[in-house]
Amino acid sequence: MITTPAFAGKRYAVLGLARSGMTAVESLLAGGAEVTAWDSREEPRRQLEGRVILADPLTIDLSGFAGVVVSPGVPLNTHPIARHAAAAGVPVIGDIELFAMARPHLPAHRVVGITGTNGKSTTTALVHHILQSAALPTRMGGNIGLPVLGQAPLPPGGVYVLELSSYQIDLTHSLECEVATQLNLSPDHLDRYDSFEAYGAAKARLFAMQRPDQIAVFGTGDPETRALVAREVARRGADKVRSVDGTDLLALQPDWPTLQGPHNLQNAAVAVAIAEALGLTAAQWRPALATFRGLAHRMERVAEVNGVLFINDSKATNPASTAPALAAFPPRPNRRIHWIVGGLPKGEDLDECAPHFGNVAAAYTIGEAGPRFAELLAPHMAVHRSEMLCEAIRQAIEVARPGDIVLLSPACASFDQFRDFEARGDAFRQIVQALTTPEPASAARGQR
């Protein structure tokens, strides 16, 4: 694991003992820190008995502590730990800040930090894949994969590729990324921020932590990100800022099976700009784009049956992230998309998807948002009020024709019917398999 002697002799409190919290505890203990830890669940507390002080940081005097480590899921705008720590003059931090503190004691390396509203996971995984294909030592972490502190340190010359949400950036104060990236910005997580501008400012802190001689890479699809480009050019000079739209890669995109659609063109363009900022050449990144397998739950091709393609885009939890999925499949010559949409809504409209309604043959509305979405979509396409995911898939299979796409891209959170978007995507995959797998002949004979 990654740790540092800089923790030695200091006191830290850790609130929340899920995967990243437990890894932070282990890293701090390995570095010689005294740790006070707490979780509302008894099981993780029991795992740490005798090794830490078990106490809720909200109930103790935090004076003299070096930091309170919390999960990115802790809402700093409403949770009392933020005020309690501030009253004691103690910073509230996350595991990415602990990683930043450990960096001086790691073998020589570079860090890539990737943020944005949509496309972070795909771009992070793609950069990691490009580096692996070029035989560079690399680790992937942050908001994707394993907690970075729980991974073995890289040898000299390695690159850590980190997906960073705004929540993680809020808890990070000293991470100087050799390459920092913002893909895009659109309204999201407004329950945690006072305004869209405040959400954008949280993302922008990733670049404020960089030194002026470090490199920033940006997409160009929205005015807020373009404004950030202008600010960073003024701060560090145009030679340290890359702004890409992917038009120079458009002719290559047909060769990338898992990177179709305009959104993935931007993801690929940003990944290529990052790779080149790290010193890679076209001869290194070009073949990697064709072999990238993509991510589960993000435009994941789960099956092709009788010429119908089934795609799991369960990670699209807001309209802005669903819009690119709809744009990826234009008519040929007829509308091809059978769109499964709905869940726990994050807003009242689908305006960001509207430019691509002409690609949709039919919508199948599910979940809490189903009735409202059915009303919105009925003037533009055929609508089936399916309510449940299984029924939506069954209905889509009945009418889909060769060349069509059955697309789960809900534009909603999953929490009305599923534990998380992974569980929703897994259910889609399993139901598709069950409904499209031919019944064995012996079983069919036995029912006669």
Side-chain angles (χ1 to χ4, degrees):
M1 77 166 25
I2 291 173
T3 189
T4 173
F7 299 153
K10 296 179 181 176
R11 289 191 292 163
Y12 288 88
V14 179
L15 179 60
L17 298 174
R19 190 168 59 173
S20 65
M22 192 67 80
T23 305
V25 169
E26 296 295 349
S27 177
L28 289 165
L29 291 174
E34 177 187 292
V35 178
T36 298
W38 188 254
D39 193 285
S40 59
R41 298 167 298 150
E42 182 179 354
E43 181 183 353
R45 298 200 308 264
R46 192 183 306 120
Q47 293 179 40
L48 295 175
E49 283 181 352
R51 303 177 61 213
V52 304
I53 299 168
L54 290 171
D56 186 342
L58 279 170
T59 66
I60 64 174
D61 181 3
L62 292 174
S63 300
F65 277 69
V68 178
V69 183
V70 302
S71 160
V74 173
L76 297 183
N77 60 329
T78 59
H79 198 285
I81 191 61
R83 295 188 299 274
H84 186 52
V90 176
V92 179
I93 60 177
D95 65 324
I96 300 300
E97 178 62 14
L98 295 180
F99 169 71
M101 295 166 63
R103 290 188 65 191
H105 299 94
L106 296 176
H109 64 276
R110 290 174 288 180
V111 170
V112 173
I114 298 172
T115 196
T117 303
N118 298 304
K120 296 187 298 295
S121 296
T122 295
T123 305
T124 301
L126 180 56
V127 171
H128 183 244
H129 173 70
I130 291 171
L131 297 177
Q132 284 184 317
S133 300
L136 278 177
T138 181
R139 297 270 189 271
M140 180 173 66
N143 203 39
I144 187 173
L146 298 173
V148 66
L149 291 175
Q151 302 187 52
L154 286 168
V159 181
Y160 296 91
V161 186
L162 305 179
E163 176 189 338
L164 299 172
S165 69
S166 59
Y167 301 165
Q168 288 169 309
I169 298 170
D170 286 341
L171 298 169
T172 306
H173 309 292
S174 63
L175 181 70
E176 295 180 351
C177 297
E178 277 70 22
V179 184
T181 296
Q182 180 164 301
L183 289 154
N184 47 53
L185 194 72
S186 60
D188 201 9
H189 303 307
L190 297 185
D191 57 330
R192 289 274 293 261
Y193 298 97
D194 293 336
S195 63
F196 179 38
E197 290 74 21
Y199 168 61
K203 297 279 193 184
R205 288 190 58 254
L206 181 63
F207 304 93
M209 286 186 281
Q210 284 186 293
R211 301 190 310 268
D213 63 328
Q214 294 175 321
I215 294 174
V217 176
F218 298 94
T220 61
D222 60 89
E224 290 78 16
T225 300
R226 292 195 294 271
L228 184 55
V229 170
R231 292 203 299 273
E232 289 305 315
V233 167
R235 184 169 80 93
R236 68 183 84 192
D239 62 320
K240 298 298 182 184
V241 178
R242 316 279 194 270
S243 185
V244 297
D245 62 9
T247 53
D248 56 327
L249 299 177
L250 192 55
L252 302 177
Q253 193 178 22
D255 298 329
W256 312 332
T258 63
L259 292 168
Q260 295 301 296
H263 63 304
N264 276 324
L265 182 64
Q266 176 182 266
N267 294 341
V270 168
V272 166
I274 292 170
E276 292 185 340
L278 294 171
L280 273 64
T281 66
Q284 292 171 299
W285 58 253
R286 195 167 185 169
L289 295 174
T291 59
F292 180 58
R293 297 185 61 182
L295 294 174
H297 313 297
R298 193 58 171 132
M299 294 296 284
E300 176 192 8
R301 298 180 174 220
V302 302
E304 185 168 356
V305 181
N306 299 325
V308 177
L309 184 61
F310 294 83
I311 293 183
N312 167 22
D313 194 37
S314 182
K315 200 172 190 295
T317 58
N318 58 57
S321 56
T322 286
L326 299 179
F329 302 102
R332 284 187 189 169
N334 300 317
R335 300 181 180 202
R336 299 187 291 153
I337 299 174
H338 298 265
W339 178 25
I340 300 173
V341 57
L344 186 66
K346 291 186 174 181
E348 291 296 317
D349 60 61
L350 291 168
D351 290 355
E352 287 167 288
C353 299
H356 313 296
F357 285 169
N359 297 349
V360 181
Y364 306 78
T365 59
I366 62 173
E368 184 178 312
R372 171 61 176 160
F373 284 3
E375 293 175 1
L376 290 174
L377 297 174
H380 307 282
M381 64 195 69
V383 173
H384 303 264
R385 295 174 181 255
S386 306
E387 296 188 7
M388 304 301 291
L389 179 59
C390 184
E391 180 64 10
I393 298 169
R394 187 192 64 76
Q395 291 173 330
I397 288 173
E398 286 182 353
V399 298
R401 298 293 179 262
D404 287 358
I405 295 93
V406 176
L407 172 69
L408 171 67
S409 191
C412 287
S414 59
F415 306 126
D416 58 337
Q417 294 183 344
F418 298 95
R419 180 185 70 249
D420 49 34
F421 74 82
E422 289 98 338
R424 178 171 61 189
D426 290 341
F428 176 78
R429 190 187 301 110
Q430 292 160 7
I431 295 168
V432 167
Q433 183 177 10
L435 293 180
T436 59
T437 301
E439 187 178 10
S442 58
R445 286 194 299 269
Q447 292 176 358
R448 293 188 182 123

